[in-house]
Amino acid sequence: MQEAFDPRGAITWQPSLSVVTASAVAALPMALPVALATDVWQLSALASPRPQVISPLLRGAQTGAVTLSLVAPKLKVSSFQFPQFDSWKSNLSAPAPPAAPAVNPAGAAPPDPATKARTRIKPPGDVIKLEDRLLYLLQPSLETLIGDAALAMPFRPFAYQFEGVAFLYPRWTAILADEMGLGKTMQAITAMRLLLHAGELRSVLLVCPKPLVTNWQREFSLWAPELPITVIEGDQGRRRWQWQQTESPLKVANYELLQRDRQLVAELGLQFDLVVLDEAQRIKNRASVTSQSVREIPRRRSWALTGTPVENSPQDLVGIFEFLSPGYLCDSMKPRRMGQAAADHVLRRTKDKVLTELPPKTFRDAEVELSSAQRASYTMAEEEGVIRLTEMGDAATIQHVFELVLRLKQICNFDPVSGDSSKFERLAADLDEVAASGRKAIIFSQWVATLENLAGRLKHLRPGLYHGGVPSKHRDGVLERFREDKRQHVLLLSYGAGGVGLNLQFAEYVFLYDRWWNPAVEDQAINRAHRIGAAGPVTVTRFLALDTIEQRIDQVLREKREIFDTIFNDVEPRESLGLTQQEIFGLFKLRCPAGPIDLAA
Amino acid sequence: MSMGDTKSQQALGFLTILEHDQLGYVGGYLILNSAGRPLEFHCTAPVKPNRAQQILFGPTLESYLYGEQIGQTLLAKSSVDLLAVCTDVERALCVRDYVATPVALVLAEPAGSEGPSADAVTASGLAASWRVDAAHGAQPHLHEFALGRNRLAVPNHHDDDRQQIAERLTALISFDLAEPFERIREAIEEAHKGSRAA
């Protein structure tokens, strides 16, 4: 605040602040100056003064006010509604199995019931739409689903089996490539069953090798007894009627029959929600009629079950993917790249990783020296064969080489002249021990003649015979006797007929009397015994005649195993993959035109 | 395949609210049918109270966020009739004041385990931190009860809900009512992962 004297007798007050305090007002000089008028000029000066009035602003300036809105803006909500399908229903001909017992009759320790394990379905990587991903994420755990009385299971599955079901459930293209004996059948049946009950499937076609049809029927009756099955069989008129059946959601057909009904399936305009191929390695050759037949079937989902998705070369996997998702894999892909591309569609577990409860599997390489008679026959056959192939020069084909290989391998089994067999001597000794201990053994060979020769020599052990020459209607009986008859200790099987699908877990000894070209086929054979439910440790004896073609083939088999490891275990191959003609000819140090060949399994 | 009639189904709601350090609060609401399969899922965008709300709502902020803003909004989205709503967040029980459907808190401990008696007041720390505005901001008193193998609780001032829930959920007595919250958490994560990617 500032004050100044005004000669006109007024006070000027210039407030410099907008707010005047009481103390400031009190301090103003209120006395007016007085003077005497002595003349006119002075009189004029006596006129009443006109004081300037100043109104000091005693109010403060307009005070600003802020209004805070506490009303929250409308909350943004994302909403998803999920389709509810009519569950598949039928006249239930069989009751649901009783609830899971406390002890898994498979023989292995059951999962601890105290642990609240929950296996959740995860959306596959190729499901992009959020709503679809949420639909899978929000499904109840598998343990919850099968806790439902209508979906009870006869035995409590292992944790890895739940994971297998959770893998299959959301996938439209999938390969379940578990090692043999881990229960691919049960996992596939359970996934199908859950999808059928959820209404996501209404028609399923399962294709398997003919000898396994009865096995699938048995497994369905065990794990999904409420699901009626139509097995496609009989004459064409009957099959036409069966194909058109709509009462049962499940049809089971074998590969051979499917080839015959290729036209019929197309003519009837059949369409399936899901087609499952068992032993899917059968379609590895894209040019085969089998592959073409299954690829033609109209379907929404495609699953493949195989313990050996790669038998000979990475192209085997390409062949299977041609059924699942044509063009997704191609031959030019490097194994590592192929493995990465296939990763989200393939689930592969091995027993040593997931089935720690399974009894151990022990390998014994029974390396035997040929008897002198055998050696003489062998040397003669080899020399003659090599000379003949050499003389043929460029006219020698892979077929000629194979013929020689087979001839030499047969001599390693039995000398055609003397009947000598070093392998048999060793085998007979082992089998006596097996029988004496009351156990059972299975013996594999690639030749029916070898199996029959063995059967003749092992009569005292009452061996069963199971090979391609045994009529299908008798095969179940052979297995049944071997399972039930305590006096029967030996079953002789061919790789072709007995290598897949059979459950022989009560046998504790496996003998590979001769070696197959492909280690995957050998694994299949071994795992007939070494699978869930195995009573005890399984001992595998692999016969190998020293300094023979068998030893050279063994080296080839080891290299093949590396192919598999590269794709499914993501490790670099140590040596070149594949088997070339050159390598086959190289077994006999022969020269041949270069180029890859496909060795049939 | 035909769509089922969702209106005629018995449905159960599951409400949870997650607190995220950076994002704030996110609500998820899952509606299941009697087989435990999902019918609907709703989730909110993250809600983060501003400074003014924090000051002015004071201790009532959480009940406002959990009950009124998130809970009530989500429950209003349901297109099916619900038997009841379950939550695993005690503060979300406030939503019961805004809806007609019974709301129960699913307690983590399984029935039969050692713990407070059935009629115990379970609001944690309630006695030690009583406030004059407790009617709005403090945890409500809870009334516990068992339903099958589940242990549930309802606010004391909605004690009638106990009877209603027991009657309505008789058919679902074997249901593990704590399990669906795990699904909601995964779904919220997936939804927000998707929105970030978009």
Side-chain angles (χ1 to χ4, degrees):
Chain A
M1 199 170 354
Q2 290 180 335
E3 299 170 41
F5 178 73
D6 190 327
R8 290 171 299 178
I11 298 169
T12 58
W13 178 42
Q14 298 171 322
S16 59
L17 297 172
S18 57
V19 178
V20 178
T21 63
S23 57
V25 173
L28 283 174
M30 299 305 289
L32 295 173
V34 177
L36 295 175
T38 55
D39 51 28
V40 174
W41 184 84
Q42 285 178 319
L43 285 174
S44 65
L46 293 174
S48 300
R50 282 203 240 156
Q52 185 179 355
V53 177
I54 295 170
S55 302
L57 187 61
L58 297 179
R59 289 184 294 122
Q62 187 74 33
T63 304
V66 175
T67 302
L68 296 174
S69 172
L70 294 177
V71 179
K74 194 173 180 186
L75 191 54
K76 188 180 171 193
V77 176
S78 303
S79 294
F80 305 89
Q81 290 198 337
F82 304 110
Q84 299 298 302
F85 300 110
D86 288 337
S87 172
W88 171 84
K89 294 291 177 197
S90 175
N91 297 326
L92 299 182
S93 55
V103 177
N104 190 332
D112 181 4
T115 59
K116 290 178 74 177
R118 288 183 183 136
T119 311
R120 303 284 309 287
I121 296 164
K122 303 283 183 194
D126 58 359
V127 174
I128 305 297
K129 203 174 161 190
L130 179 60
E131 187 171 348
D132 294 338
R133 295 183 70 78
L134 290 178
L135 176 60
Y136 290 124
L137 270 178
L138 289 168
Q139 292 297 323
S141 67
L142 295 180
E143 288 83 353
T144 303
L145 285 176
I146 67 161
D148 185 335
L151 288 171
M153 303 183 93
F155 314 123
R156 184 180 292 115
F158 289 90
Y160 77 85
Q161 291 175 324
F162 275 122
E163 285 164 16
V165 175
F167 166 80
L168 287 173
Y169 188 101
R171 278 175 172 74
W172 294 63
T173 56
I175 300 179
L176 184 57
D178 283 349
E179 190 181 6
M180 289 71 69
L182 289 180
K184 289 189 290 294
T185 304
M186 168 268 164
Q187 294 174 63
I189 288 174
T190 304
M192 286 185 247
R193 187 185 189 208
L194 293 176
L195 286 166
L196 282 162
H197 280 270
E200 292 194 47
L201 296 181
R202 298 189 71 77
S203 59
V204 179
L205 173 64
L206 183 122
V207 187
C208 64
K210 191 177 177 185
L212 300 187
V213 170
T214 52
N215 190 58
W216 272 97
Q217 283 181 286
R218 196 166 48 241
E219 294 288 317
F220 268 114
S221 66
L222 179 67
W223 295 102
E226 78 282 10
L227 297 180
I229 304 170
T230 299
V231 176
I232 311 294
E233 59 189 355
D235 59 34
Q236 194 179 16
R238 182 177 167 82
R239 296 203 304 274
R240 173 182 284 272
W241 179 78
Q242 289 166 337
W243 278 118
Q244 295 178 90
Q245 280 297 304
T246 54
E247 287 180 7
S248 64
L250 275 160
K251 290 184 174 63
V252 178
N254 66 67
Y255 284 103
E256 297 76 13
L257 181 145
L258 200 63
Q259 290 174 26
R260 290 205 299 275
D261 286 356
R262 194 173 168 182
Q263 285 300 112
L264 182 60
V265 171
E267 181 192 319
L268 294 172
L270 298 176
Q271 185 145 359
F272 295 92
D273 293 331
L274 168 67
V275 173
V276 184
L277 302 186
D278 186 24
E279 304 296 346
Q281 67 275 14
R282 288 219 176 187
I283 61 160
K284 66 184 180 184
N285 179 0
R286 280 157 277 176
S288 69
V289 180
T290 304
S291 173
Q292 290 168 10
S293 302
V294 295
R295 276 157 40 203
E296 283 174 5
I297 303 168
R299 62 201 182 274
R300 291 167 58 231
R301 294 184 186 225
S302 308
W303 293 351
L305 312 178
T306 173
T308 53
V310 173
E311 284 189 325
N312 291 309
S313 74
Q315 281 71 45
D316 297 346
L317 190 61
V318 179
I320 296 174
F321 263 86
E322 282 303 294
F323 162 72
L324 300 174
S325 180
Y328 185 70
L329 298 184
C330 60
D331 292 339
S332 60
M333 281 179 162
K334 292 192 181 303
R336 179 184 286 252
R337 171 79 190 94
M338 192 180 288
Q340 288 167 344
D344 194 50
H345 303 274
V346 181
L347 181 63
R348 163 83 180 171
R349 281 86 55 92
T350 54
K351 286 182 195 165
D352 56 338
K353 295 278 171 58
V354 299
L355 212 55
T356 50
E357 301 92 346
L358 198 66
K361 177 172 61 180
T362 310
F363 284 94
R364 292 190 309 164
D365 283 330
E367 297 177 339
V368 297
E369 292 280 1
L370 296 181
S371 71
S372 55
Q374 270 183 298
R375 176 60 70 187
S377 297
Y378 183 92
T379 304
M380 186 185 296
E382 184 173 39
E383 286 174 357
E384 285 177 2
V386 171
I387 289 168
R388 196 163 67 89
L389 287 170
T390 307
E391 287 173 352
M392 290 174 78
D394 287 347
T397 66
I398 196 72
Q399 194 58 40
H400 293 118
V401 183
F402 275 133
E403 283 171 12
L404 177 58
V405 170
L406 296 178
R407 172 78 186 130
L408 295 176
K409 285 183 71 177
Q410 284 170 330
I411 295 173
C412 291
N413 282 358
F414 293 102
D415 178 18
V417 180
S418 64
D420 275 10
S421 173
S422 299
K423 286 184 184 178
F424 179 75
E425 287 176 19
R426 171 79 180 265
L427 175 70
D430 284 354
L431 290 180
D432 284 342
E433 199 176 315
V434 169
S437 61
R439 302 192 190 279
K440 293 180 186 281
I442 55 178
I443 303 167
F444 283 93
S445 171
Q446 69 184 104
W447 288 288
V448 171
T450 296
L451 295 172
E452 288 178 340
N453 194 336
L454 287 171
R457 296 176 184 229
L458 295 169
K459 271 184 181 165
H460 60 291
L461 297 175
R462 307 163 62 88
L465 262 175
Y466 192 100
H467 54 68
V470 177
S472 296
K473 60 184 177 183
H474 294 158
R475 291 187 185 180
D476 284 348
V478 172
L479 299 178
E480 186 69 20
R481 272 194 301 281
F482 181 56
R483 186 183 295 114
E484 304 298 336
D485 189 347
K486 290 184 179 174
R487 295 170 301 169
Q488 189 178 77
H489 298 282
V490 176
L491 182 65
L492 301 159
L493 304 110
S494 66
Y495 283 107
V500 293
L502 303 181
N503 295 321
L504 303 172
Q505 55 270 64
F506 44 89
E508 292 175 52
Y509 293 89
V510 179
F511 293 90
L512 306 183
Y513 199 71
D514 43 60
R515 309 293 300 277
W516 194 256
W517 285 104
N518 191 314
V521 173
E522 291 188 346
D523 286 344
Q524 291 259 28
I526 292 164
N527 285 302
R528 297 309 99 214
H530 191 247
R531 58 199 301 112
I532 296 170
V538 174
T539 304
V540 182
T541 304
R542 297 182 291 205
F543 283 102
L544 193 71
L546 291 171
D547 297 324
T548 67
I549 192 72
E550 289 191 335
Q551 206 169 20
R552 279 170 264 167
I553 292 172
D554 184 59
Q555 181 58 34
V556 175
L557 295 183
R558 289 178 199 277
E559 290 170 5
K560 283 191 165 193
R561 202 174 284 276
E562 290 169 0
I563 300 174
F564 199 95
D565 291 343
T566 301
I567 294 177
F568 295 106
N569 297 335
D570 201 28
V571 296
E572 287 289 357
R574 287 189 294 268
E575 297 171 35
S576 68
L577 301 175
L579 196 63
T580 64
Q581 284 195 42
Q582 211 157 15
E583 287 165 334
I584 296 294
F585 276 77
L587 292 170
F588 300 102
K589 298 184 177 136
L590 294 169
R591 183 184 62 80
C592 82
I597 62 162
D598 181 23
L599 275 180
Chain B
M1 287 182 231
S2 64
M3 294 280 291
D5 180 4
T6 54
K7 273 284 178 190
S8 65
Q9 296 198 38
Q10 289 195 320
L12 193 56
F14 292 86
L15 169 71
T16 196
I17 294 166
L18 309 181
E19 193 175 343
H20 190 278
D21 286 344
Q22 275 88 44
L23 298 174
Y25 298 87
V26 180
Y29 181 45
L30 175 64
I31 300 175
L32 302 179
N33 67 12
S34 56
R37 293 189 182 278
L39 295 173
E40 296 176 19
F41 177 67
H42 310 275
C43 67
T44 69
V47 180
K48 196 164 190 178
N50 58 32
R51 184 70 188 136
Q53 286 175 314
Q54 286 173 349
I55 293 169
L56 295 169
F57 276 92
T60 67
L61 179 65
E62 283 194 331
S63 68
Y64 164 72
L65 285 172
Y66 280 74
E68 192 174 340
Q69 194 176 11
I70 297 176
Q72 187 184 11
T73 304
L74 284 173
L75 264 60
K77 293 287 179 184
S78 170
S79 63
V80 294
D81 297 328
L82 294 171
L83 296 171
V85 173
C86 296
T87 181
D88 62 343
V89 180
E90 194 171 327
R91 282 166 290 197
L93 279 176
C94 306
V95 75
R96 178 64 180 93
D97 297 334
Y98 306 97
V99 298
T101 312
V103 180
L105 173 68
V106 180
L107 297 166
E109 299 162 55
S113 67
E114 285 186 18
S117 64
D119 289 322
V121 174
T122 58
S124 57
L126 191 60
S129 61
W130 184 259
R131 297 175 58 114
V132 289
D133 54 358
H136 303 292
Q139 312 295 355
H141 284 76
L142 301 179
H143 217 143
E144 269 186 48
F145 62 104
L147 184 77
R149 56 179 168 154
N150 301 287
R151 209 158 59 87
L152 306 178
V154 294
N156 266 356
H157 61 289
H158 289 290
D159 195 36
D160 291 348
D161 285 358
R162 269 199 307 169
Q163 184 68 22
Q164 281 196 63
I165 290 170
E167 287 172 1
R168 293 181 180 196
L169 303 191
T170 307
L172 305 176
I173 204 157
S174 61
F175 208 97
D176 178 3
L177 294 174
E179 183 270 334
F181 297 109
E182 185 186 326
R183 299 191 230 173
I184 301 178
R185 282 188 278 275
E186 281 187 30
I188 287 175
E189 191 179 327
E190 185 74 22
H192 285 277
K193 200 163 58 184
S195 64
R196 280 201 301 275

